[in-house]
Amino acid sequence: METKKKSSFTGSLGFVLAAAGSAVGVGNIWRFPYLAAKDGGGLFIIIYVALVFTFGFTLLVTDVAIGRRTKTNALHAFAAMNRKWKFLGCLTFLVPIIIMTYYSVIGGWITKYLAVYLAGHGTDAAQEGYFTSFITSEVSPIVFMLLFLAVTAFIVYSGVEKGIERFAKVVMPGLLIMIVIIAIYSLTLQFKDGNGNIRTGLQGLSVYLIPNLDGMTVKRFLEILLDAMSQLFFSLSVSMGIMITYGSYVKKEVNLSQSLAQIEFFDTFVAFLAGLMIIPAVYVFFGAEGMASGPSLMFVSLPKVFEAMGWIGNVIGIVFFVMVLFAALTSCISIMETLVANFMDIFHGSRKKTSLIIGVASAVAAAIICMGYNVFYFELSLPNGQTAQLLDLMDYVSNSFLMPFISLLTCIFVGWIIKPKWICEEMESSGHPFRRKKLYIFMIRYVVPIMMAVLFLQSAGIFTMVQSLFV
Ligand code: PFF
């Protein structure tokens, strides 16, 4: 007979590390730098950082406090607070389902690059067109995705996440050190292009940090804002039920205000450093035009940096991709664990059976996403100005479309029906002060809902439609 035991984190460090393990992943190392490059560097960063400490803070506090106070997962938490709002719990559950379909595809890309560096073929990966020819090939991306997914599913299946988290404690600081070393090296790079122009890493740094307001319009500003906001949801793993579940494991005596500030800071810091590692290098090797290359950015630019390092580049490549793989794995485990836990809850199946079914279903879905670069190839213009294939479309639907909508409803529910006091009481229940309490109340009642409504309309393309009626 299976005995049901509710696990809880040993203390605030356990919580911060587990939440950081979920938060720090490909979102920080792959997604943040390509968005920052596409959206004009400095301006994106300023907007992003401002959003993290206002919007990100508000959403993170809301999720974790709901979890700790109701002591249950998102599916039940909203129902426990108010019967009529049960649907919101179900809606949040849609997000990890969608993210799961493509997260393992990116995990597969990372696995492939690790394999290439292990085989000592790092210079091949630095060749023009290598990444595109890999993702457009029919078999290889699926094989590597399956490898990555099999490891994730095995860990969830055998319930050994705790062991992995212990390992992640070593890997996370290691990853940070690697990123710093590569970032410093990136800044020393120099390259002479076909026209004899020399581009340096330091020039790349200024592109990364100094806001470029050339040709800025309201529409463009809204696009950047939407990108930054979608990155915030994705990166902090908020508004998708995950942080509610984590909150339900946190003990009453933990100082939430402080722990959440640490998570916000750490997640943002890793993303910022990842940009520092990738963007100056992209500028050096590919110039300003290379900045808009989107999801391929990390996979195209880093091999170039490793190649420029000489023989040691191959070793650095191995260490780097091992660590990114771990960061991706801990995040993917947290997504799959949520799916398994929720489906076990709904259908009362055993952990093993549920993990198997979810594993197979995720593999099928991810294989279809892989085929988005060959069999199901299309080019779709999204309202954020990006040209999307299947993977980008799923990413857009979950992070830019569903999440603003879920956050809007959550803010209306918490800000106006449950009332912020309910959250504040939980934040103060450990006897520690709730720092930024006034900011929280103002944000959850007024600023976040209005902004989410605007972004939702923008992401649904409604502004663009209305604008076109007048032009
Ligand atoms: N926050 C993770 C990252 O930045 O890679 C991704 C993620 C984890 C998204 C967990 C969603 C999730 F439920």
Side-chain angles (χ1 to χ4, degrees):
M1 203 182 86
E2 243 183 288
T3 46
K4 242 186 158 182
K5 193 174 133 250
K6 179 139 174 86
S7 54
S8 60
F9 299 119
T10 37
S12 90
L13 186 65
F15 166 58
V16 171
L17 282 174
S22 168
V24 175
V26 300
N28 307 63
I29 299 158
W30 161 79
R31 205 174 186 280
F32 180 88
Y34 92 67
L35 284 180
K38 166 171 116 49
D39 289 337
L43 183 62
F44 178 84
I45 294 170
I46 293 172
I47 293 179
Y48 183 77
V49 171
L51 290 183
V52 168
F53 293 102
T54 49
F55 285 75
F57 152 77
T58 307
L59 298 170
L60 201 55
V61 163
T62 307
D63 273 6
V64 176
I66 289 180
R68 190 166 78 166
R69 187 151 181 176
T70 59
K71 292 206 184 49
T72 181
N73 62 28
L75 278 182
H76 298 300
F78 287 102
M81 291 158 77
N82 184 324
R83 280 255 125 244
K84 284 195 202 130
W85 284 76
K86 185 168 184 219
F87 73 93
L88 191 51
C90 305
L91 205 58
T92 57
F93 184 31
L94 266 184
V95 178
I97 293 183
I98 299 180
I99 293 181
M100 188 68 216
T101 63
Y102 70 89
Y103 207 85
S104 54
V105 176
I106 303 156
W109 297 350
I110 296 168
T111 314
K112 156 80 179 180
Y113 272 66
L114 173 60
V116 170
Y117 278 89
L118 278 174
H121 295 160
T123 42
D124 292 352
Q127 300 312 308
E128 182 105 24
Y130 184 87
F131 179 73
T132 313
S133 88
F134 162 60
I135 60 164
T136 51
S137 64
E138 278 172 13
V139 181
S140 186
I142 298 187
V143 171
F144 283 101
M145 172 277 289
L146 286 176
L147 258 175
F148 179 82
L149 192 61
V151 176
T152 310
F154 177 74
I155 294 167
V156 175
Y157 173 89
S158 39
V160 292
E161 294 91 329
K162 285 267 149 15
I164 295 298
E165 264 154 31
R166 231 166 283 143
F167 205 53
K169 279 184 205 169
V170 186
V171 173
M172 285 291 165
L175 177 66
L176 208 61
I177 295 172
M178 285 307 294
I179 294 179
V180 171
I181 294 175
I182 301 170
I184 293 174
Y185 186 79
S186 280
L187 296 181
T188 67
L189 287 169
Q190 264 204 9
F191 182 74
K192 196 172 182 180
D193 68 10
N195 305 329
N197 297 327
I198 295 181
R199 290 189 296 262
T200 68
L202 286 178
Q203 288 168 345
L205 177 68
S206 66
V207 174
Y208 181 46
L209 295 181
I210 299 172
N212 178 359
L213 298 176
D214 287 352
M216 186 53 61
T217 57
V218 175
K219 181 167 171 278
R220 180 80 192 114
F221 185 77
L222 272 178
E223 283 172 12
I224 298 177
L225 199 60
L226 181 60
D227 278 344
M229 197 67 94
S230 78
Q231 174 62 17
L232 182 90
F233 293 125
F234 186 79
S235 192
L236 285 175
S237 313
V238 286
S239 289
M240 52 181 95
I242 293 209
M243 288 297 170
I244 297 188
T245 308
Y246 277 26
S248 73
Y249 298 153
V250 182
K251 293 204 172 123
K252 281 286 173 210
E253 57 273 18
V254 167
N255 180 351
L256 276 188
S257 198
Q258 189 187 33
S259 303
L260 296 185
Q262 286 165 352
I263 297 167
E264 280 164 64
F265 176 78
F266 187 67
D267 189 66
T268 309
F269 188 55
V270 176
F272 177 77
L273 285 179
L276 204 57
M277 160 178 86
I278 292 175
I279 295 182
V282 175
Y283 180 79
V284 168
F285 292 118
F286 305 100
E289 310 81 63
M291 301 293 236
S293 55
S296 65
L297 202 68
M298 160 178 148
F299 296 95
V300 173
S301 74
L302 280 182
K304 284 260 183 210
V305 178
F306 298 149
E307 187 187 38
M309 287 176 169
W311 67 269
I312 195 142
N314 211 59
V315 182
I316 304 253
I318 295 175
V319 182
F320 176 77
F321 280 111
V322 165
M323 290 178 165
V324 177
L325 193 62
F326 257 92
L329 211 53
T330 50
S331 297
C332 199
I333 290 168
S334 79
I335 305 174
M336 194 161 195
E337 175 63 35
T338 307
L339 300 189
V340 170
N342 284 353
F343 276 115
M344 277 166 67
D345 200 13
I346 300 171
F347 298 108
H348 306 291
S350 70
R351 164 170 286 270
K352 300 220 156 96
K353 194 171 134 201
T354 314
S355 313
L356 268 180
I357 297 174
I358 303 276
V360 172
S362 307
V364 173
I368 296 174
I369 302 288
C370 287
M371 289 191 248
Y373 292 103
N374 39 60
V375 183
F376 301 130
Y377 187 85
F378 57 74
E379 286 181 9
L380 184 75
S381 289
L382 295 177
N384 70 349
Q386 205 182 333
T387 310
Q389 277 88 60
L390 206 47
L391 188 149
D392 314 295
L393 181 64
M394 296 308 261
D395 182 303
Y396 188 79
V397 170
S398 65
N399 306 323
S400 302
F401 185 74
L402 264 180
M403 283 174 163
F405 185 58
I406 292 172
S407 302
L408 171 64
L409 293 180
T410 310
C411 291
I412 295 174
F413 178 52
V414 172
W416 297 94
I417 296 173
I418 293 290
K419 303 279 157 67
K421 190 163 161 262
W422 191 91
I423 298 279
C424 297
E425 279 167 9
E426 186 54 40
M427 292 296 290
E428 289 165 340
S429 66
S430 62
H432 297 95
F434 176 15
R435 278 181 260 145
R436 298 186 274 174
K437 179 172 164 179
K438 289 213 175 84
L439 174 70
Y440 176 79
I441 297 174
F442 183 62
M443 290 295 296
I444 192 105
R445 298 197 86 176
Y446 306 102
V447 186
V448 186
I450 292 173
M451 189 71 137
M452 290 303 153
V454 171
L455 285 181
F456 179 70
L457 294 177
Q458 156 80 3
S459 73
I462 295 179
F463 280 152
T464 321
M465 245 163 61
V466 172
Q467 210 177 31
S468 62
L469 289 179
F470 293 99
V471 181

